C-alpha cells in the first residue's frame, strides 16, 4: 500500500510557502547612490561574531535608522548588504548588554521584538575575560529581565572551560552562586563545553596567553550534566537546561540540545506580530486547521551540524570584539581587533563595522 498523505488546504500551503521566506531579497539604494541587491531577513542575529550590544550598539541602531547595513563574508571576503525592511525580531548576543537598554524604546517604537542571549560567566579571578565586574553584570541582567521579561533574557554559562585552576567542582560552585540569583530573572540556562581541539583560533589564543587548559572527556560531561540537573531540582531553580552546539546526548538528565535562535521562543515572545508569525509559518487559528510549525528543515544550514538555530542573518564581523576573551573563537589576535576597532571609531556611521 502507498503512504497516505494528509491533504493540505490552500491556506496551509500558503503558510508553508511563506515559512520558506525567512530571508528574501530586495533592492536598496545606498548612501553613495548605488542600487544593490540585499538580503531582507525576518530575524537578525547581532551577533555571534562580536559583541554588538557592548561595543557597537550606537552603530547598529544608526544603521537600523538608515534601513540597511553591509557585512563581509568571512570566507571569501565579499561584501553584501542587509535590508531591515522586513526585520521583525533581533537576537542579541552579549557579555555586557548595558548599552542596549537605552535603545529598547526604539525597538518597541518600530515594532521589532528581541531577546538577549546573555553570557554571564564567572571567570573573574582567572583572567579569562575582559568584562565589567560581576556585580555590574548581574544588575544589568536584572534590569533587562525587568524590562523584557524572564523569557527574553537567556542565561548562558558559555563556554565551560577546564584549566589548571578551574575544575568541574569550581565551575559547579560558581554556577550555584549565580543560579541562586538568576533563577528569579530568567527561565533558561544554556551551556557548552569548551571544544578547543576543533577551533584553531581558540587554541592559538589560549596558547598565546599561557592558559593551561584541557579538553572535556565525555565522562566528565555526563557527570557535570547529572550534577547540574540535580542542583536545578534541589535548589528550586526550575530552569530549562540546554546545551549549545553539543553532539553529546544529555537527555537522560533532562537536558536538551538547545536552539539559541529558537523558533518556538521567538513565536512566544512575538505572539502579537502577525507578519512575523505568518512568515514563520504561523497563521491565524482557524477551525480544523493547524498552521505548520517551522520544521527542523528550516534550521540555519550555515551553522554547525549540531546547532539547532533557525535561519537568521548575522550582521557582525570577526576581529571586532574588544572583550579579548582568552578562549575567543571570533578573534585572531589582539592587534587585529584593536586595529579594526580604531578603524570603526574613525568611520562610526559606515554601513559596515570595519569599512
Amino acid at each position: 500500500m502507498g503512504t497516505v498523505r494528509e491533504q493540505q488546504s490552500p491556506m496551509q500551503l500558503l503558510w508553508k510557502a511563506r515559512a520558506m521566506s525567512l530571508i528574501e531579497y530586495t533592492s536598496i539604494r545606498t548612501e553613495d547612490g548605488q542600487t544593490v541587491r540585499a538580503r531582507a531577513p525576518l530575524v537578525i542575529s547581532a551577533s555571534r561574531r562580536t559583541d554588538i550590544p557592548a561595543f557597537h550598539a550606537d552603530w547598529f541602531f544608526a544603521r537600523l535608522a538608515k534601513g540597511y547595513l553591509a557585512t563581509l563574508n568571512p570566507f571569501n571576503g565579499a561584501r553584501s548588504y542587509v535590508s531591515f525592511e522586513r526585520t521583525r525580531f533581533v537576537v542579541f548576543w552579549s557579555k555586557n548588554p548595558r548599552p542596549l537598554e537605552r535603545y529598547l524604546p526604539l525597538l518597541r517604537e518600530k515594532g521589532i521584538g528581541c531577546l538577549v542571549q546573555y553570557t554571564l560567566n564567572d571567570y573573574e579571578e582567572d583572567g579569562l575575560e575582559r568584562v565589567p565586574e560581576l556585580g555590574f553584570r548581574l544588575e544589568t541582567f536584572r534590569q533587562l529581565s525587568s524590562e523584557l521579561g524572564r523569557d527574553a533574557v537567556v542565561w548562558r554559562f558559555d563556554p565551560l572551560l577546564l584549566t589548571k585552576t578551574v575544575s568541574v567542582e569550581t565551575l559547579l560552585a560558581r554556577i550555584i552562586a549565580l543560579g541562586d540569583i538568576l533563577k528569579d530573572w530568567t527561565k533558561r540556562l544554556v551551556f557548552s563545553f569548551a571544544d578547543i581541539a576543533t577551533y584553531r583560533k581558540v587554541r592559538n589564543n589560549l596558547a598565546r596567553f599561557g592558559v593551561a587548559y584541557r579538553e572535556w572527556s565525555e565522562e566528565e560531561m555526563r557527570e557535570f550534566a547529572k550534577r547540574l540537573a540535580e542542583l536545578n531540582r534541589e535548589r528550586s531553580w526550575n530552569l530549562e537546561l540546554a546545551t549549545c552546539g553539543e553532539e553529546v546526548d544529555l537527555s537522560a538528565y533532562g537536558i536538551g540540545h538547545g536552539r539559541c535562535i529558537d523558533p518556538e521562543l521567538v513565536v512566544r515572545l512575538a505572539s502579537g506580530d502577525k507578519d512575523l508569525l505568518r512568515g514563520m509559518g504561523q497563521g491565524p487559528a482557524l477551525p480544523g486547521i493547524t498552521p505548520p510549525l517551522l520544521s527542523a528543515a528550516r534550521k540555519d544550514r550555515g551553522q554547525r551540524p549540531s546547532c539547532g538555530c533557525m535561519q537568521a542573518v548575522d550582521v557582525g564581523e570577526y576581529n571586532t570584539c574588544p572583550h579579548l576573551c582568552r578562549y575567543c573563537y571570533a578573534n585572531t589576535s589582539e592587534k587585529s581587533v584593536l586595529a579594526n576597532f580604531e578603524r570603526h571609531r574613525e568611520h562610526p556611521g559606515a554601513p559596515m563595522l570595519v569599512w
Side-chain angles (χ1 to χ4, degrees):
M1 293 179 61
T3 302
V4 177
R5 297 185 178 180
E6 180 184 355
Q7 284 193 326
Q8 295 180 319
S9 71
M11 184 66 76
Q12 284 178 304
L13 293 174
L14 175 62
W15 286 332
K16 267 192 175 176
R18 294 205 61 175
M20 298 294 286
S21 302
L22 292 168
I23 302 172
E24 294 182 353
Y25 286 85
T26 188
S27 292
I28 62 170
R29 192 168 182 81
T30 65
E31 289 153 83
D32 59 2
Q34 296 184 68
T35 299
V36 298
R37 191 169 186 248
R39 287 173 292 173
L42 281 173
V43 179
I44 292 285
S45 170
S47 158
R48 294 183 181 92
R49 301 170 183 170
T50 189
D51 195 328
I52 283 179
F55 300 110
H56 308 298
D58 292 342
W59 169 82
F60 178 83
F61 284 95
R63 297 316 308 173
L64 181 64
K66 292 288 187 180
Y68 79 96
L69 53 75
T71 64
L72 201 66
N73 186 304
F75 301 105
N76 61 21
R79 183 182 299 175
S80 63
Y81 292 85
V82 179
S83 167
F84 287 108
E85 69 179 48
R86 295 178 68 240
T87 298
R88 308 304 308 152
F89 203 90
V90 182
V91 178
F92 293 103
W93 310 70
S94 186
K95 291 183 177 179
N96 175 28
R98 180 69 68 93
L100 180 64
E101 292 180 353
R102 66 179 177 271
Y103 289 109
L104 294 179
L106 179 60
L107 286 177
R108 282 193 291 270
E109 180 184 318
K110 290 181 172 293
I112 296 174
C114 75
L115 72 86
V116 180
Q117 292 282 343
Y118 193 154
T119 298
L120 203 158
N121 303 327
D122 183 6
Y123 292 123
E124 270 194 334
E125 61 188 69
D126 311 296
L128 296 172
E129 300 174 324
R130 294 187 186 179
V131 292
E133 60 91 18
L134 185 58
F136 178 90
R137 290 181 285 137
L138 284 168
E139 176 58 19
T140 299
F141 201 113
R142 185 195 65 78
Q143 291 177 5
L144 281 173
S145 178
S146 298
E147 185 80 20
L148 298 174
R150 291 173 61 202
D151 258 335
V153 189
V154 176
W155 174 28
R156 304 176 69 87
F157 201 112
D158 177 34
L160 295 162
L161 182 64
L162 297 176
T163 73
K164 190 175 182 178
T165 58
V166 179
S167 65
V168 173
E169 294 295 335
T170 305
L171 291 168
L172 286 167
R174 293 175 182 180
I175 288 174
I176 289 172
L178 293 174
D180 286 345
I181 298 170
L182 296 176
K183 66 180 175 63
D184 295 324
W185 303 340
T186 189
K187 294 184 179 180
R188 183 179 294 188
L189 167 57
V190 175
F191 62 92
S192 70
F193 304 103
D195 188 8
I196 300 161
T198 304
Y199 294 98
R200 179 175 53 83
K201 287 182 183 178
V202 177
R203 293 198 308 276
N204 291 345
N205 285 332
L206 289 173
R208 183 179 299 112
F209 293 107
V211 179
Y213 68 88
R214 66 180 180 84
E215 299 279 1
W216 287 78
S217 69
E218 185 168 327
E219 181 180 358
E220 286 175 317
M221 292 181 192
R222 294 190 181 281
E223 177 62 21
F224 175 89
K226 176 175 177 291
R227 293 177 63 185
L228 179 62
E230 290 170 351
L231 289 169
N232 189 41
R233 182 177 63 254
E234 292 167 0
R235 302 184 80 87
S236 300
W237 296 344
N238 301 318
L239 298 173
E240 178 189 341
L241 304 178
T243 57
C244 174
E246 294 290 346
E247 294 182 5
V248 63
D249 182 2
L250 303 176
S251 57
Y253 316 107
I255 300 174
H257 294 288
R259 296 182 294 182
C260 301
I261 305 183
D262 181 349
E264 293 180 5
L265 180 56
V266 170
V267 164
R268 190 158 70 246
L269 292 173
S271 60
D273 189 330
K274 294 180 180 179
D275 289 338
L276 176 63
L277 299 183
R278 289 196 184 100
M280 292 178 63
Q282 297 292 289
L286 298 175
I289 295 178
T290 302
L293 282 167
L294 194 71
S295 69
R298 304 283 3 107
K299 77 178 290 294
D300 191 336
R301 296 176 183 175
Q303 303 302 319
R304 295 168 291 172
S306 52
C307 174
C309 288
M310 65 176 280
Q311 277 187 317
V313 171
D314 198 294
V315 296
E317 302 291 344
Y318 289 117
N319 290 311
T320 60
C321 184
H323 283 314
L324 298 172
C325 299
R326 301 308 194 222
Y327 51 76
C328 186
Y329 66 85
N331 289 340
T332 303
S333 70
E334 182 172 339
K335 182 179 179 180
S336 62
V337 171
L338 296 180
N340 284 336
F341 195 63
E342 186 59 33
R343 287 174 61 192
H344 170 70
R345 291 174 63 183
E346 291 172 359
H347 306 280
M352 194 162 60
L353 266 177
V354 182
W355 193 248

